[in-house]
Amino acid sequence: MGDVICITNTSGDLSVAGLRFTPDTDAALRAFTPSPARPSTSTVSSTLAELGLAPGEWPILDDESVAFAVARNYWRARGETAATCAQLQSPAAEARVIPATNEPVELHVIEENEAGERSSRPVARWLGDADRGEPQAFGVAGLEQSTPSPGVLDALRSSDVVVLTPMSPVLDGPGLLGVPGVRDALRGTAARVVVMSPVGLPTSRDGDAERSAWSQAGLEMTSAQVAKLYADFADVLLIDEDEAQGSYPGRLNVTRAPLARALVGDVEAAREVRTTVLGA
């Protein structure tokens, strides 16, 4: 296998107290960096909670993420790009990790209170709110003004295989595929484009929130729906081995794989998924 380039979604990033947190990029860098596992500590968030700052105001984050956010602010103030910051954050990473956008973008949810007044807030805060209301709409703030990070479009156009890992078409997809030039690059690439369906897979998100998001967007929570959304560029749709049969576009290669088992740590299942992706 050749070089691996991982393009991370930036619409789930969040600014808190002047610091920019990038959970998807951090997770990718951890996954691709061979280093001994360090115990997760939360001294900063615990201390803030003791000072009266509830998780809704300061999302629960581990100390390492806070340190990364401080370093990232320093590097950006020095003029570094988002892609360079990722490289500086984890120089030993075995893949090139590139944030999708160089400028900040955030997925926001529109809510309506009992008085009929509408307001917007980052989805990251909405997901963490036990008393959240039903969403009225979603939108990615800053997306139209954003530009792809250097290397993003070239990677999509020149790769042998492009893999879209399991992501919500409502809470993840717009912030990645809506970046100017990204969808066009996927349509025009000579690479085989493999989409992993998120349906039926374990997730760290609240299931009710995910279902509410799909429902608000008028989408059925099925892999057949995922296929329709990505039919303009997908060559292969990978669905979980236990998913029910569905009706898919004729040109699409629909392949079953043990996705759910792989995501919960089954090593053999992960090997099978890898083999399927590279040879699908």
Side-chain angles (χ1 to χ4, degrees), residues 45-246:
S45 57
S46 298
T47 302
L48 288 167
E50 292 171 3
L51 295 172
L53 294 174
E57 295 298 320
W58 185 281
I60 299 174
L61 297 163
D62 61 89
D63 292 340
E64 186 178 58
S65 295
V66 177
F68 288 156
V70 172
R72 190 176 302 113
N73 273 29
Y74 171 78
W75 292 324
R76 291 308 297 259
R78 204 172 64 183
E80 305 292 358
T81 64
T84 300
C85 289
Q87 185 177 5
L88 290 170
Q89 182 174 321
S90 188
E94 295 179 336
R96 185 180 172 199
V97 176
I98 312 175
T101 62
N102 192 50
E103 297 79 19
V105 298
E106 284 184 4
L107 180 63
H108 281 215
V109 59
I110 309 297
E111 298 173 283
E112 189 174 286
N113 62 21
E114 294 178 356
E117 299 169 330
R118 290 195 167 196
S119 59
S120 168
R121 61 172 166 165
V123 163
R125 296 188 186 280
W126 177 73
L127 289 170
D129 186 352
D131 298 322
R132 61 177 174 268
E134 285 296 312
Q136 302 299 309
F138 295 93
V140 184
L143 193 60
E144 292 183 357
Q145 294 76 36
S146 69
T147 57
S149 287
V152 166
L153 300 184
D154 285 345
L156 295 175
R157 292 172 180 143
S158 62
S159 294
D160 296 320
V161 181
V162 174
V163 182
L164 270 67
T165 55
M167 64 179 181
S168 166
V170 183
L171 300 180
D172 299 310
L176 177 61
L177 300 176
V179 175
V182 165
R183 197 166 195 129
D184 283 343
L186 287 169
R187 292 189 188 110
T189 184
R192 184 173 63 253
V193 180
V194 180
V195 174
M196 293 184 176
S197 172
V199 176
L201 303 185
T203 174
S204 58
R205 286 199 179 117
D206 182 286
D208 290 338
E210 189 72 49
R211 282 186 288 273
S212 292
W214 285 63
S215 176
Q216 188 283 323
L219 302 176
E220 296 180 358
M221 208 168 180
T222 65
S223 288
Q225 180 73 79
V226 173
K228 292 177 184 176
L229 293 172
Y230 303 144
D232 57 324
F233 61 77
D235 298 307
V236 179
L237 179 68
L238 221 57
I239 65 174
D240 188 56
E241 58 190 350
D242 293 330
E243 183 162 356
Q245 293 290 341

